[in-house]
Amino acid sequence: MERSSSFDFDTFVNTELNASQKEAVEHIEGALLVIAGAGSGKTRVITARIVNLLERQQVHPAQIIALTFTNKAAKEMKERIAGFLHNKQGIPFVGTFHGYCLYLLKQNTHLLPFDSFSIIDEDDKRSILNTILKKTPLYKKQTAQQLSYHISLIKNQCAHPDQGFSTGDNRMIQELVQEYEKEKLKSKSFDFDDLLLEAVKLFDNKEFQEAHHNQVRHILVDEYQDTNIIQDSLLKKMTLSGKTRAVDSVCVVGDEDQSIYSWRGATVDNIIHFTKDFKDAKYIKIEQNYRSKQPILHTANKVIAHNFNRNEKKLWSDQTGRDCVRMLRCFSGYQEADIIARLCKLLHGQKKLASTALLYRTHVQSRALEEALIKQGIPYHLVGGIRFYERKEIKDILAYLRLIINPYDRVAFTRAINCPLRGLGDVFVEQFTALWDAQPLLDFKGVAALMLADIQTSKKESLQKFVNLFEGLTHLSRAPETITKFLHSIEYIEFLKKSHETQEAQERQANVKEFLNAAHFFALQGKASLGQLLDEVSLLQEHTETDENSESSVTLMTLHAAKGLEFNTVIIPGLEEGLFPSSRSTLNPAQLEEERRLLYVGITRARSRLLLTYARYRQTYGQMEEAYPSRFIKEIPQDSCRTEDASSWNPYDISNYLAAWFGIASAHPEAVTFRAFTPPPTVITAQPATKISFKKHQTVKHLSFGIGIVTSIEEQPTKTVVTVQFKTGTKKLDGKFVQPL
């Protein structure tokens, strides 16, 4: 978008904008909702609209505000605007919601509870919360991280600070939140969430609101589908006087079909209801896509059309193409990973790997993919996550296993001894290490024996229990059973639940489960012992030392992380019930729509080719369990997506098939005939492959009845029936409609 000084803005508008883009840029007066589909040039429209106001309408820069969600987006916009203006005049404020709110507060400290204030970051916030928690019985049940997340969510869902922060019926949490607010007040501090709340409160002052309305006449908001309740409230304060528009123009740009952050507090209803909140709002759809070939867009349109809470639109492109979308039914998750790795190998040989991405629903899926890529010698770059065997929870378990193989391993001992916490702190570890230095010929058990003779009773018991964990275990012990034993003995899953907020704890638990699956998989390959497992892991770790910035590596990331990016080839694995859509979303229509939007985002990342895969079986705790095709599969149009059953293919079949699709000469040119495969009907009501087990007195959640306690469990031939005590009374329910908490 940056142009030389000879490039005329009028020429740009008339020659490089399509009709819808031009209409959005030249709209001057009133409220405007711009629904900009994926790849439709959204940033171009916003920046050109700002330049149009400055150059053609002679609006002063101080009268324009553009709000974004990231500093990166703001930087890109400012650079594009500057490229048009050629430094002839100042650039308006273009920045994040938080950045603009901080600016307002700094300029109006006389309206705040104190004349000056400081901003506490996340570490400071957790430190305050940790101090508060230590004074309560919740210290061992709730972490500062969990409470911090909870407080942020509460504040983001609050339209005005005077409403108070509702924490439901939990009085203890309510008291903790109140204590936290008191501590901030004492130190004259705000956290990041307060910036928005306090800015909204400024507008309660009529003089301030009128002055702001007079000063700022044009407001733009990018990615409006990602706004939360407090951000939407702020926009209304900035633009409305009562229910009447008080500024010259307010323009929001976004795409409700790409709203995928409800877990962060974003609400898609803001963009859906914009035309109701602003009665004079004009509505412009930008549907021409400049990224993808038409068959890919056709696939995306058909999928997202099944959502109800949206503004109808259809992406289209003048980039025609044929046979751009394929779907493969695989026998297992391991064959799926092997097929994907073989495709990457073909693309690597053609130097086309750099613009290839594997987009999965959850990080836990990366394990099998990483191992398959390593086996094929394919460099890969993991975005927004950590390589599977480098994740903390995996390294924690590996530390225990390494101590069995090598009881002299000090690094493993230091990691394992206080994970989970067992009352042996840093001072104890220092003393233990000093004694080990003095007795270098002893292993950790020998040093522990010396320590046991000279420590306090509480620490003695904890150390003895730790040593006992390793009794009777050797490098020949079977890995799956040993890992299971440690997980149970040290209560590691409970430790994860207590140490992290709910979503993160669930992700870490899934990684632990996947590690156990890996142990079972290696065992099936004749590598069942601890020694063999650790050898395999070491080899995998050795081969992952690749250059992540290499231009020849494939990109691995979650679908959430892929938003805003694009690739020539996109591969989306794991289209199965319980995996994608996730098991948690199947009970909630709103969450299910968000899962579909997530698939839509993944599809629209692809420029030229899209491969979708799913498996007939997935491994769970050593057992290959049947997986059900995702309900989304039947929504994918067969006229643009060729589906085939690869479950019986051998490696030569796979390579030939993929090479033929991409027009690459195969190393095994013998003819193979592939027939189209019609996917079996999706069983919408099918339970995920992993059966949910319940315990008496367990806390559960039901979509209609809310939170309850399990009072009894009845195992029937085809289902589990649970009796649950809710506030509204006792209910007897099919277990598939109840979610454990």
Side-chain angles (χ1 to χ4, degrees):
M1 182 117 171
E2 291 187 18
R3 305 289 173 182
S4 64
S5 57
S6 62
F7 191 87
D8 182 74
F9 180 70
D10 289 332
T11 303
F12 169 80
V13 171
N14 293 323
T15 62
E16 296 202 22
L17 296 179
N18 62 43
S20 296
Q21 290 174 330
K22 183 178 179 182
E23 184 181 8
V25 166
E26 294 182 331
H27 174 274
I28 302 302
E29 185 75 20
L32 176 64
L33 169 62
V34 180
I35 300 297
S40 64
K42 170 177 62 67
T43 303
R44 165 179 290 210
V45 169
I46 296 174
T47 52
R49 180 178 170 85
I50 292 172
V51 174
N52 183 66
L53 290 170
L54 295 169
E55 291 278 272
R56 289 172 162 182
Q57 306 303 318
Q58 298 299 303
V59 176
H60 192 278
Q63 294 182 302
I64 303 172
I65 297 294
L67 300 175
T68 69
F69 274 82
T70 66
N71 289 315
K72 180 182 177 183
K75 182 174 182 291
E76 180 184 355
M77 286 185 192
K78 285 188 280 190
E79 288 173 351
R80 292 196 184 198
I81 294 167
F84 272 125
L85 299 180
H86 317 303
N87 300 317
K88 289 187 296 185
Q89 56 182 301
I91 294 178
F93 179 93
V94 181
T96 65
F97 273 90
H98 291 89
Y100 185 62
C101 289
L102 178 60
Y103 167 78
L104 289 180
L105 296 179
K106 290 286 188 181
Q107 296 298 312
N108 296 275
T109 53
H110 62 286
L111 297 177
L112 301 179
F114 18 79
D115 294 335
S116 63
F117 61 90
S118 56
I119 307 297
I120 61 172
D121 61 19
E122 185 61 25
D123 286 341
D124 295 332
K125 181 180 178 183
R126 291 183 187 178
S127 178
I128 294 171
L129 291 172
N130 197 50
T131 301
I132 295 170
L133 276 169
K134 285 181 178 179
K135 302 174 184 177
T136 73
L138 285 179
Y139 181 58
K140 294 185 178 181
K141 298 179 181 179
Q142 185 97 20
T143 67
Q145 182 182 11
Q146 291 171 321
L147 190 54
S148 174
Y149 174 81
H150 190 61
I151 290 173
S152 289
L153 205 56
I154 291 170
K155 290 185 176 181
N156 290 335
Q157 294 174 339
C158 178
H160 193 284
D162 287 350
Q163 290 181 353
F165 306 131
S166 173
T167 58
D169 297 330
N170 195 323
R171 288 188 59 189
M172 183 66 76
I173 296 294
Q174 181 75 37
E175 290 174 5
L176 288 172
V177 173
Q178 291 173 350
E179 189 63 30
Y180 168 66
E181 294 301 313
K182 289 178 183 177
E183 287 298 319
K184 285 197 289 96
L185 191 61
K186 290 177 187 175
S187 59
K188 297 184 178 181
S189 300
F190 294 134
D191 60 30
F192 287 115
D193 300 309
D194 292 331
L195 297 179
L196 277 73
L197 289 165
E198 293 297 328
V200 166
K201 205 169 182 178
L202 287 178
F203 285 88
D204 290 345
N205 184 291
K206 294 299 181 183
E207 291 183 4
F208 170 83
Q209 186 178 48
E210 288 179 11
H212 191 279
H213 288 165
N214 291 331
Q215 172 66 34
V216 180
R217 304 301 301 167
H218 300 273
I219 298 171
L220 301 92
V221 182
D222 185 24
E223 303 284 11
Y224 193 63
Q225 77 279 350
D226 293 333
T227 54
N228 54 39
I229 291 175
I230 188 64
Q231 288 165 333
D232 183 60
S233 179
L234 176 65
L235 179 67
K236 290 172 184 173
K237 293 282 188 180
M238 293 171 66
T239 55
L240 297 174
S241 178
K243 294 186 177 181
T244 304
R245 178 170 49 83
V247 296
D248 293 332
S249 76
V250 51
C251 172
V252 300
V253 183
D255 179 10
E256 73 286 346
D257 291 337
Q258 297 186 74
S259 179
I260 57 174
Y261 298 120
S262 65
W263 49 276
R264 284 195 321 211
T267 171
V268 70
D269 289 341
N270 290 345
I271 194 168
I272 296 294
H273 295 157
F274 182 81
T275 53
K276 295 179 181 178
D277 297 329
F278 294 86
K279 301 301 182 183
D280 67 337
K282 184 179 178 63
Y283 172 37
I284 298 175
K285 292 189 288 186
I286 305 179
E287 299 171 296
Q288 183 174 0
N289 176 285
Y290 294 92
R291 174 189 301 153
S292 307
K293 292 185 177 180
Q294 183 58 35
I296 294 172
L297 299 178
H298 176 64
T299 302
N301 288 333
K302 288 293 185 180
V303 169
I304 202 63
H306 288 80
N307 272 6
F308 293 99
N309 199 21
R310 63 187 295 262
N311 294 298
E312 185 179 353
K313 65 179 174 298
K314 288 186 179 180
L315 295 179
W316 64 273
S317 172
D318 56 14
Q319 298 182 66
T320 58
R322 296 180 58 191
D323 197 17
C324 300
V325 185
R326 296 273 183 109
M327 183 185 299
L328 291 179
R329 182 195 194 203
C330 308
F331 179 76
S332 68
Y334 293 107
Q335 191 205 27
E336 176 186 63
D338 180 64
I339 289 173
I340 291 170
R342 289 180 185 278
L343 173 56
C344 291
K345 187 173 184 177
L346 285 170
L347 295 176
H348 189 42
Q350 298 292 308
K351 301 188 185 303
K352 296 180 179 179
L353 193 62
S355 191
T356 301
L358 313 187
L359 309 181
Y360 35 75
R361 176 62 184 84
T362 174
H363 276 302
V364 73
Q365 292 173 258
S366 79
R367 198 269 302 175
L369 295 169
E370 288 184 65
E371 291 181 6
L373 291 170
I374 291 169
K375 182 179 178 181
Q376 294 291 338
I378 305 300
Y380 66 91
H381 177 202
L382 199 65
V383 175
I386 303 171
R387 295 174 186 272
F388 185 81
Y389 290 105
E390 295 298 319
R391 293 171 191 170
K392 180 185 180 302
E393 54 276 15
I394 306 304
K395 296 187 77 170
D396 288 345
I397 301 167
L398 285 172
Y400 282 91
L401 305 185
R402 284 166 51 191
L403 272 179
I404 296 171
I405 306 299
N406 177 15
Y408 296 90
D409 189 333
R410 298 192 182 196
V411 175
F413 172 82
T414 303
R415 187 180 193 101
I417 189 64
N418 278 316
C419 185
L421 297 174
R422 46 175 56 89
L424 304 172
D426 294 338
V427 174
F428 170 83
V429 174
E430 290 175 7
Q431 294 171 344
F432 194 100
T433 303
L435 182 56
W436 208 341
D437 288 337
Q439 300 287 343
L441 298 180
L442 296 178
D443 61 15
F444 84 92
K445 294 179 182 177
V447 178
L450 296 178
M451 290 286 287
L452 285 167
D454 191 32
I455 57 175
Q456 301 173 6
T457 305
S458 60
K459 293 186 182 297
K460 181 180 292 187
E461 182 180 353
S462 295
L463 180 57
Q464 186 62 63
K465 284 183 178 180
F466 178 78
V467 173
N468 291 345
L469 290 171
F470 300 87
E471 194 66 37
L473 297 174
T474 71
H475 69 286
L476 296 175
S477 300
R478 278 184 56 85
E481 290 78 3
T482 303
I483 294 170
T484 302
K485 173 193 171 183
F486 274 116
L487 292 175
H488 176 73
S489 299
I490 65 177
E491 298 180 340
Y492 192 74
I493 299 301
E494 292 302 314
F495 163 70
L496 291 177
K497 291 178 181 178
K498 293 177 182 178
S499 303
H500 306 281
E501 62 93 6
T502 303
Q503 183 174 348
E504 184 178 352
Q506 289 172 342
E507 290 176 358
R508 292 181 184 273
Q509 290 172 62
N511 286 333
V512 171
K513 173 184 171 183
E514 186 62 22
F515 180 53
L516 191 53
N517 285 339
H520 282 291
F521 177 66
F522 288 133
L524 290 173
Q525 295 181 316
K527 301 166 185 175
S529 72
L530 281 176
Q532 291 169 319
L533 171 67
L534 290 181
D535 287 345
E536 287 296 316
V537 172
S538 296
L539 289 172
L540 290 169
Q541 289 176 310
E542 176 188 4
H543 288 294
T544 57
E545 295 301 320
T546 59
D547 179 10
E548 293 205 343
N549 295 316
S550 170
E551 294 183 356
S552 62
S553 62
V554 62
T555 300
L556 277 69
M557 66 176 78
T558 63
L559 286 149
H560 280 102
K563 187 170 178 289
L565 304 177
E566 56 186 71
F567 305 89
N568 285 342
T569 302
V570 166
I571 304 163
I572 304 178
L575 280 172
E576 297 142 37
E577 286 293 300
L579 187 56
F580 195 13
S582 69
S583 57
R584 292 191 299 275
S585 69
T586 55
L587 299 176
N588 187 319
Q591 290 182 12
L592 189 60
E593 288 212 350
E594 182 156 329
E595 291 283 304
R596 189 177 283 109
R597 292 196 291 267
L598 198 54
L599 177 58
Y600 174 83
V601 166
I603 293 171
T604 54
R605 299 310 96 195
R607 296 191 194 106
S608 302
R609 306 251 183 203
L610 171 68
L611 176 63
L612 307 166
T613 64
Y614 66 102
R616 292 171 57 190
Y617 299 95
R618 290 274 170 190
Q619 188 178 51
T620 304
Y621 295 113
Q623 300 295 319
M624 293 297 284
E625 297 191 356
E626 186 176 3
Y628 296 96
S630 169
R631 67 191 69 196
F632 298 150
I633 288 177
K634 71 172 186 176
E635 300 171 2
I636 294 170
Q638 294 186 25
D639 59 345
S640 65
C641 177
R642 178 176 170 181
T643 302
E644 295 186 85
D645 188 349
S647 57
S648 62
W649 292 358
N650 62 42
Y652 295 132
D653 294 338
I654 294 167
S655 296
N656 285 342
Y657 174 83
L658 296 171
W661 184 31
F662 277 81
I664 300 171
S666 174
H668 309 285
E670 56 268 25
V672 181
T673 301
F674 301 103
R675 60 182 178 81
F677 168 73
T678 301
T682 303
V683 184
I684 298 300
T685 58
Q687 289 197 52
T690 303
K691 185 179 179 182
I692 299 174
S693 59
F694 297 94
K695 296 179 181 178
K696 199 171 180 181
H697 306 306
Q698 183 179 21
T699 303
V700 295
K701 179 182 180 182
H702 185 272
L703 184 61
S704 301
F705 304 127
I707 306 297
I709 303 294
V710 175
T711 57
S712 68
I713 303 135
E714 179 186 348
E715 295 289 350
Q716 296 183 0
T718 59
K719 61 183 177 181
T720 300
V721 176
V722 289
T723 302
V724 184
Q725 178 67 49
F726 297 100
K727 283 186 179 180
T728 55
T730 301
K731 307 289 182 182
K732 206 169 190 177
L733 303 165
D734 187 330
K736 68 184 179 183
F737 297 116
V738 178
Q739 179 183 347
L741 293 180

